[in-house]
Amino acid sequence: MGANTSQVSDLSNNHNLKALVGPESISENDPFWNQLISFTFISPTSSGESKLLEEAVIPLAKTLIENNPRSGNFSALVRIFLGRTKELKISTECQDQLFIWQAHNALLMIRCLLKVFTREMSEEELHQQFSYQERAAVSCAETSNEDLLEELLSNLIHLIVEVPLLDITYSILFEAVTTLLVLLSYQLFHKDILHDGIIFQHLMKGRCLCLTSRLVKTLLYNFIRQEKCPPPATHIFEPKAEGGLLYGLASGVASGLWSVFTLGGAGSKAENDQEHNPLPLSNQSLLLLLVLANLPDGPDWPNPYRQSITCFRNTQDTSSPPAEHPHTFQINFNSLYTALCEQQRSDQATLLLYTLLHQNTNVRTYILSRTDMDNLVLPILDILYHVEERNSHHVYMALIILLILTEDDAFNRSIHEVVLKNISWYTERSLTEISLGSLLILVVIRTIQFNMTRTRDKYLHTNCLAALANMSAQFRCLHQYAAQRIISLFALLSKKHNKVLEQATQSLRGRQGDSTALPDYAQDLSVIEEVIRMMLEIINSCLCNSLHHNPNLVYALLYKRELFEQFRMHPSFQDIMQNLDTVIGFFSQRLEQAGSDLSVERVQEVIMKGVQALPKDRLKSLYIRQWPRFRHLKSEAASASVVAPRSKSPTI
């Protein structure tokens, strides 16, 4: 690197870089540093090119690790950067693009080196790399007593919260956010939580603590603004009418450099989308926000970043904040809601939505009060509908979000009042007009059926059925196709139950007198029966609470009434089958009285009159005793699906 444009292939032979990583100390006053950080770099634009850059940096970084104890050149580079950050805000106001460009280049080099350092050495050894100094500076008390690592962390946060986001500052803000992510990546190399980590301590208790709320607010606004990379200029030093000399550098660096953290699985659609991602600062800011919010609590203090995430309020909220929330702030909830609705294609945005719904009561109350809930629910349903293209974490988070939303009765009522037209991405059947509630039921049932044939995960079933169970008392005007799918799912479960029961019976007969262990059919049968009971509870709840609103469900029950015969005398289902028997018997009798060879329209007419005539006291409310377990699944599911990998579940 130097005054001329550099490419990856040139790095190993660059004389400036060789001097930086070499054994000779270079004074901070040496003109060398100006030459070193005065470069333009054609940055990578794909993950493949990014990997080439990383591989080119590795040998240089390893040489520096070996020589830095004698030269102190790494700490000198850090100080060169810190010296420029002190005037960065003024430089931005004065449009001093050259100064910003050099500060960016210094930080880019630091970040590339740190990425190798974090992989090659422990935090303690990294801390030592910051403490090695130029020989002439060792005697200076001012430099020998400072913690250069903490100084860097503090300056990076100051840079993020104080420097305004403009075209000329885009790239350096991106680098500042990404460098913090690199330093926090130590957790990736340890199974145990790093409560005593040096970086953890600095962020939680050091000079960075006072900037907690400002950092969280800035990262949220970076996500909300969704600023694209500035367009490239033809020549980096040629001022343009639409921008400055940094356009070429900002566009190349910000759009091309690799993401330190990826939440998606290998080869996932989300990961492929990031190949040509035009919003790198927004995405990196979101990733840093999520990492900070999920840092563990200290032994004697809570995570201040999580506190800030859980208590921030709407700018329209004029009430005084509670005294126990020192890190609270205000932000525009309308802008936040819009960004959340638009960005659910990425799993990190879905994780932010889950975090806010689960932990911030102000956000949850605001979202549930919106009259345009379809703008948020439809992207969540799209995730579940395209389950084959999503990684398991993304699917689980979407399901848990539905669980949280369906705990609210007002939400469950309102989604049946929102009428949608021509849902193009739902391809199983043309839906020219359907309520949001019926569409939600269809998508959740499709997810269950996909799980039955592919992943066979008990927890996924339980969460899907829990969402339906939470909604069932508020089912209103179910679309005829949604009603059919509910009964079709029960038919599929019934068929599965009979198959496992037959296998268990045949296995038992074939092994009479054999002392070897039987296949675990009992466990599989128990799981299937639990799922069947949940389905019966969902149907029962709808019949008890909103029978007169759902003639299509009654029609589907009568059409497939033979499905329920085998469960009438089953000891696990006798109590819950009483209501279904009552409804089926009542309407069957009325249809017999109406005559034979009835048309579909005539059957529906009989049902419509019958739902008004059936006395409600003939149906027993059995669901209240069992449903609280559904309302508490979200926390367990979140910790199991988002944090830890799942073990093999019983087959369904």
Side-chain angles (χ1 to χ4, degrees):
M1 296 178 182
N4 297 322
T5 300
S6 300
Q7 305 220 12
V8 171
S9 58
D10 302 329
L11 296 184
S12 60
N13 298 320
N14 187 282
H15 67 277
N16 286 327
L17 290 178
K18 286 183 176 181
L20 173 68
V21 304
E24 297 299 322
S25 297
I26 305 173
S27 171
E28 293 174 31
N29 300 318
D30 196 305
F32 163 83
W33 297 105
N34 264 335
Q35 185 179 4
L36 176 70
I37 61 178
S38 296
F39 64 86
T40 58
F41 187 77
I42 301 175
S43 298
T45 56
S46 69
S47 61
E49 294 174 357
S50 297
K51 189 172 180 62
L52 290 176
L53 171 60
E54 183 176 356
E55 291 174 349
V57 170
I58 288 175
L60 293 168
K62 288 184 175 180
T63 303
L64 181 61
I65 292 171
E66 181 180 346
N67 292 327
N68 191 50
R70 287 173 287 171
S71 70
N73 286 341
F74 178 71
S75 57
L77 174 62
V78 173
R79 287 194 186 89
I80 294 296
F81 166 71
L82 295 178
R84 279 161 171 73
T85 60
K86 294 175 183 177
E87 305 295 333
L88 203 55
K89 188 175 182 181
I90 297 175
S91 300
T92 303
E93 294 171 355
C94 300
Q95 296 286 303
D96 187 348
Q97 300 177 27
L98 179 62
F99 193 93
I100 298 170
W101 168 57
Q102 289 186 329
H104 165 271
N105 286 351
L107 183 55
L108 171 62
M109 296 177 68
I110 292 169
R111 194 258 297 174
C112 289
L113 293 169
L114 283 175
K115 188 170 185 186
V116 181
F117 287 3
T118 55
R119 190 172 60 187
E120 296 292 327
M121 62 182 72
S122 66
E123 262 191 288
E124 291 75 15
E125 292 170 331
L126 175 69
H127 197 220
Q128 285 293 325
Q129 293 294 328
F130 280 88
S131 66
Y132 299 132
Q133 300 173 41
E134 172 194 349
R135 293 188 187 95
V138 172
S139 59
C140 178
E142 182 179 351
T143 57
S144 60
N145 291 332
E146 70 178 355
D147 188 328
L148 197 58
L149 175 56
E150 183 176 20
E151 183 77 14
L152 176 63
L153 287 167
S154 177
N155 272 265
L156 289 173
I157 295 176
H158 272 286
L159 192 161
I160 292 169
V161 302
E162 292 179 354
V163 175
L165 175 55
L166 306 171
D167 282 352
I168 61 173
T169 61
Y170 192 103
S171 58
I172 194 168
L173 289 171
F174 172 83
E175 282 301 327
V177 171
T178 307
T179 303
L180 286 175
L181 277 170
V182 169
L183 289 168
L184 285 164
S185 66
Y186 263 112
Q187 185 64 68
L188 295 175
F189 304 102
H190 295 82
K191 293 182 180 179
D192 299 327
I193 297 174
L194 299 177
H195 286 289
D196 300 323
I198 299 170
I199 296 169
F200 177 85
Q201 295 288 330
H202 286 328
L203 289 173
M204 291 293 188
K205 299 197 308 183
R207 294 161 53 186
C208 304
L209 183 61
C210 63
L211 296 170
T212 295
S213 59
R214 293 180 64 190
L215 177 60
V216 171
K217 182 176 182 178
T218 302
L219 294 175
L220 267 178
Y221 266 127
N222 286 348
F223 166 71
I224 290 170
R225 290 177 65 175
Q226 299 289 310
E227 290 284 348
K228 295 183 179 180
C229 285
T234 306
H235 302 291
I236 194 166
F237 290 111
E238 179 183 340
K240 296 290 178 179
E242 69 276 12
L245 60 85
L246 255 191
Y247 276 146
L249 182 69
S251 176
V253 172
S255 64
L257 291 174
W258 64 87
S259 295
V260 178
F261 285 51
T262 53
L263 293 178
S268 69
K269 184 177 184 294
E271 189 178 63
N272 293 334
D273 286 344
Q274 291 175 2
E275 282 294 305
H276 305 287
N277 185 6
L279 306 169
L281 178 60
S282 172
N283 290 338
Q284 292 295 79
S285 296
L286 176 54
L287 290 173
L288 178 58
L289 179 66
L290 292 170
V291 171
L292 291 171
N294 287 283
L295 289 175
D297 294 332
D300 302 314
W301 68 89
N303 178 347
Y305 304 96
R306 187 184 302 124
Q307 279 188 318
S308 190
I309 280 285
T310 59
C311 69
F312 71 82
R313 300 175 299 128
N314 194 354
T315 50
Q316 297 179 352
D317 184 359
T318 57
S319 61
S320 300
E324 63 270 16
H325 292 311
H327 302 295
T328 190
F329 61 90
Q330 289 185 300
I331 200 168
N332 188 308
F333 276 17
N334 183 58
S335 300
L336 176 61
Y337 179 78
T338 301
L340 288 170
C341 292
E342 293 174 350
Q343 298 301 315
Q344 290 307 305
R345 293 182 303 276
S346 70
D347 46 5
Q348 55 264 35
T350 306
L351 180 54
L352 175 64
L353 175 59
Y354 159 73
T355 301
L356 295 177
L357 281 172
H358 183 44
Q359 299 184 15
N360 191 311
T361 55
N362 300 320
V363 174
R364 182 167 65 251
T365 301
Y366 175 84
I367 288 179
L368 289 170
S369 70
R370 297 281 303 201
T371 57
D372 58 347
M373 281 296 296
D374 52 308
N375 289 337
L376 183 67
V377 175
L378 283 174
I380 298 299
L381 296 183
D382 186 80
I383 294 168
L384 295 177
Y385 187 81
H386 296 98
V387 60
E388 303 95 335
E389 304 171 20
R390 305 291 178 180
N391 63 71
S392 60
H393 297 303
H394 203 176
V395 172
Y396 267 105
M397 286 185 292
L399 268 178
I400 296 165
I401 287 168
L402 288 183
L403 266 179
I404 297 173
L405 294 175
T406 58
E407 287 183 339
D408 184 77
D409 287 339
F411 169 83
N412 294 331
R413 287 191 297 270
S414 66
I415 57 175
H416 292 287
E417 298 169 1
V418 178
V419 178
L420 308 169
K421 296 182 183 294
N422 300 318
I423 307 301
S424 58
W425 48 261
Y426 192 94
T427 57
E428 272 81 355
R429 176 168 171 163
S430 176
L431 300 175
T432 55
E433 185 172 292
I434 189 172
S435 71
L436 179 60
S438 291
L439 180 63
L440 194 158
I441 293 167
L442 287 174
V443 173
V444 171
I445 288 176
R446 183 181 183 275
T447 305
I448 294 173
Q449 292 182 321
F450 174 83
N451 183 51
M452 290 180 68
T453 57
R454 302 284 185 89
T455 56
R456 300 184 178 183
D457 187 335
K458 171 188 173 183
Y459 294 97
L460 188 65
H461 269 53
T462 304
N463 288 319
C464 288
L465 291 170
L468 294 178
N470 284 340
M471 293 172 56
S472 57
Q474 306 294 335
F475 282 172
R476 294 289 188 277
C477 302
L478 288 182
H479 192 280
Q480 60 180 5
Y481 185 54
Q484 292 170 13
R485 298 303 291 160
I486 291 173
I487 304 305
S488 296
L489 176 59
F490 185 85
L492 187 62
L493 291 167
S494 176
K495 182 178 179 181
K496 187 76 172 177
H497 177 270
N498 293 339
K499 181 178 179 181
V500 174
L501 185 62
E502 181 181 355
Q503 289 175 338
T505 303
Q506 291 178 352
S507 179
L508 186 63
R509 288 173 180 170
R511 296 192 175 214
Q512 289 182 352
D514 190 348
S515 59
T516 58
L518 288 170
D520 199 0
Y521 290 117
Q523 184 183 12
D524 290 346
L525 197 62
S526 174
V527 171
I528 294 172
E529 289 182 355
E530 180 184 353
V531 174
I532 288 175
R533 181 170 182 89
M534 292 175 75
M535 280 298 301
L536 290 173
E537 288 176 350
I538 290 167
I539 298 171
N540 177 75
S541 173
C542 180
L543 297 179
C544 289
N545 293 278
S546 53
L547 175 65
H548 56 293
H549 290 298
N550 292 291
N552 285 330
L553 181 62
V554 176
Y555 184 96
L557 273 174
L558 294 173
Y559 189 74
K560 293 288 186 178
R561 64 189 117 182
E562 70 279 356
L563 286 173
F564 302 92
E565 292 290 337
Q566 61 177 308
F567 300 107
R568 181 175 290 113
M569 302 306 296
H570 195 291
S572 299
F573 309 116
Q574 279 183 324
D575 57 339
I576 198 112
M577 282 298 301
Q578 293 179 28
N579 286 336
L580 272 73
D581 282 343
T582 299
V583 171
I584 291 172
F586 176 82
F587 285 97
S588 296
Q589 183 179 6
R590 293 183 73 91
L591 288 174
E592 289 175 3
Q593 293 172 355
S596 58
D597 298 328
L598 300 177
S599 65
V600 173
E601 292 75 14
R602 177 58 181 153
V603 171
Q604 291 175 335
E605 181 183 343
V606 172
I607 291 173
M608 289 292 292
K609 292 180 179 179
V611 294
Q612 304 297 330
L614 178 63
K616 291 185 178 180
D617 57 5
R618 291 183 60 179
L619 301 179
K620 297 174 63 177
S621 297
L622 302 176
Y623 66 98
I624 297 176
R625 172 177 57 85
Q626 297 160 348
W627 280 23
R629 75 175 188 267
F630 297 154
R631 294 182 175 269
H632 296 285
L633 282 172
K634 67 177 187 296
S635 297
E636 176 187 346
S639 61
S641 65
V642 178
V643 177
R646 291 205 174 279
S647 58
K648 188 177 186 299
S649 301
T651 302
I652 297 180

